[in-house]
Amino acid sequence: MTDLLVTGGAVLTADAADTYIPDGAVAIEGGRIVAMGTASELGARYRAAPTLDARGCLVMPGMVNAHAHSAMTLFRGRADDVDLQVFLERLVAAESAVLTAEVVRIAVRLALAESIRAGVTTAMDMYWFPEAGLAAAAEAGFRLVTGPTFMDVPGPPDGLDFAARLRLAPASLGRSTTRCVTPHSAYTLAPEQLLAVAELAREHDALLHIHAAENAVEVASVRARYGRRPVELLHDLGLLRPGTLLAHAVCLTDEEIALIAASGAGVAHCPVSNLKLASGVAPLPELLAAGVPVGLGTDGAVSANALDLFGPIRAAATLHRVTPGAAPDPTLIGARASVRMATVDGARAIGIGALTGSIELGKAADLVVLDLNRPHLTPRHDPWSMLAYAAGPADVRDTVIDGRIVMRDRRLLTIDEGAAIEELNALAATLPNPSGRPNRDPEMNDTPPTRASEVAP
């Protein structure tokens, strides 16, 4: 007897050998994968088990969003067609006006509904009121990796300064099953503050998640202040180590790539967000060639607007093939590598590769069932190609996290989706528009796009 048998579908494991079982099954007990094999073999062993019928479907690992700001769903569409610096100015102003723990809980709940629908089962998150995000994730049965956030500002949203946040952080860390601290960046924290957060991470054996080298303005700003580029500074301070995740890593030198590779740190590649904000294109082929663990992230729902990983998968698989000054190369990155970055390699990049990211014995039962009976997924020559170049969130039929079915037949089982949408729309209607005037229509943003100022972030 076992808790659940997912059976009859083609199983793409994403293990080290990229094992593929055309007519496969996965047995789950106590939230863990206890057996996998052919449908006939496991069907005979687990005759009385509750089943999830995956015939005509693809069973794949749950996807890992390596960099997100989940509660930013509240501000989606309010800072479009601007660069990073203007984006940040608008966002901070909006956050300061409305954020509370309850607002974050409501916004994260909607983000989790969107993520589960898209086959995302884990997200590495950075935002204010992490306890509220963790509470929403616990209710939804979602794996949210997050922890206290640090910026050298007395708000938003709670008025606490850096010292107070640091003092209260251990209590926050105790609420998470996977401990994590999230210092924002080297341009919002001074070196001594970064050192204090790094010591906190070491003391509590926590992962460390930080923005780094997202665009040229950031790099120039940090270099002007401290005489070193962001990654160089983090290296000199000892923050580059296994368990550190660098979000974005767009503007890197060859020397910095070597530093990251030697340190064991991971990178969250966010190609859709980086393109939308015109931040640049990360040197993904070089990072992979150096052996850096790389995962795919969406960033927030303001900077990339969507929280599914199919867009980043497709962008990562294709974006790097045409580079100015180099001959086009259609073999760079490709389907298999990009799908692995959204699953097993993403889990490894954020520091939880032993727990999730692939369908393997002993790992958490985080599975996604994609309905292949769709015109754009026919015929089924290559599952990697299909996932990278054709599939989308609407193809996800079932989502399983820690052995629990959280979406079945496209119906969410742990989140009242209608109530989540209604609550967030009610909050959005109270927001001032980016110009500061009352928002006449919460669905409209009548402020024209703005160019970045010369002021560094």
Side-chain angles (χ1 to χ4, degrees), residues 21-37:
I21 310 170
D23 183 15
V26 180
I28 298 164
E29 186 173 348
R32 299 285 172 148
I33 297 167
V34 295
M36 56 188 186

Side-chain angles (χ1 to χ4, degrees), residues 113-169:
E114 180 180 353
S115 298
I116 289 169
R117 281 203 170 280
V120 175
T121 57
T122 299
M124 175 69 102
D125 203 55
M126 178 191 291
Y127 209 63
W128 305 110
F129 297 112
E131 298 91 342
L134 287 168
E139 292 174 2
F142 187 90
R143 182 175 293 103
L144 196 70
V145 182
T146 190
T149 292
F150 299 92
M151 292 175 67
D152 189 16
V153 291
D158 51 22
L160 295 176
D161 62 13
F162 175 83
R165 292 187 191 283
L166 194 65
R167 186 172 63 252
L168 296 173

Side-chain angles (χ1 to χ4, degrees), residues 66-330:
H67 178 61
H69 307 284
S70 297
M72 287 186 188
T73 50
L74 177 60
F75 308 108
R76 187 175 354 226
R78 293 180 62 83
D80 291 340
D81 304 326
V82 297
D83 72 4
L84 177 63
Q85 279 63 51
V86 175
F87 163 84
L88 290 172
E89 291 168 8
R90 290 190 181 183
L91 182 62
V92 169
E95 289 174 332
S96 299
V98 300
L99 284 189
T100 65
E102 179 61 11
V103 166
V104 168
R105 186 194 66 79
I106 291 169
V108 169
R109 187 167 69 142
L110 189 76
L112 300 184
E114 180 180 353
S115 298
I116 289 169
R117 281 203 170 280
V120 175
T121 57
T122 299
M124 175 69 102
D125 203 55
M126 178 191 291
Y127 209 63
W128 305 110
F129 297 112
E131 298 91 342
L134 287 168
E139 292 174 2
F142 187 90
R143 182 175 293 103
L144 196 70
V145 182
T146 190
T149 292
F150 299 92
M151 292 175 67
D152 189 16
V153 291
D158 51 22
L160 295 176
D161 62 13
F162 175 83
R165 292 187 191 283
L166 194 65
R167 186 172 63 252
L168 296 173
S172 298
L173 285 167
R175 303 184 188 200
S176 177
T177 54
T178 302
R179 295 180 174 181
C180 179
V181 296
T182 63
H184 181 268
S185 64
Y187 65 87
T188 60
L189 292 165
E192 60 271 19
Q193 294 171 321
L194 290 169
L195 283 171
V197 177
E199 179 56 32
L200 177 72
R202 281 189 287 269
E203 180 183 347
H204 293 275
D205 192 25
L207 305 174
L208 191 147
H209 179 198
I210 186 169
H211 297 95
E214 187 171 355
N215 73 358
V217 176
E218 175 201 331
V219 172
S221 171
V222 173
R223 189 170 186 176
R225 294 179 196 177
Y226 307 118
R228 288 162 288 180
R229 295 163 59 92
V231 170
E232 292 173 336
L233 179 62
L234 296 177
H235 170 264
D236 292 348
L237 294 174
L239 269 70
L240 291 188
R241 58 176 178 80
T244 293
L245 178 75
L246 306 179
H248 300 293
V250 170
C251 300
L252 300 176
T253 64
D254 291 343
E255 292 74 17
E256 288 171 318
I257 292 172
L259 290 176
I260 297 169
S263 73
V267 164
H269 179 40
C270 306
V272 175
S273 172
N274 295 155
L275 288 172
K276 183 166 175 277
L277 291 168
S279 295
V281 178
L284 180 60
E286 292 80 2
L287 286 165
L288 294 178
V292 175
V294 178
L296 291 180
T298 60
D299 209 1
V302 187
S303 52
N305 295 68
L307 297 177
D308 75 85
L309 284 174
F310 289 99
I313 288 172
R314 196 159 296 130
T318 57
L319 176 62
H320 306 275
R321 298 176 178 186
V322 180
T323 304
D329 184 353

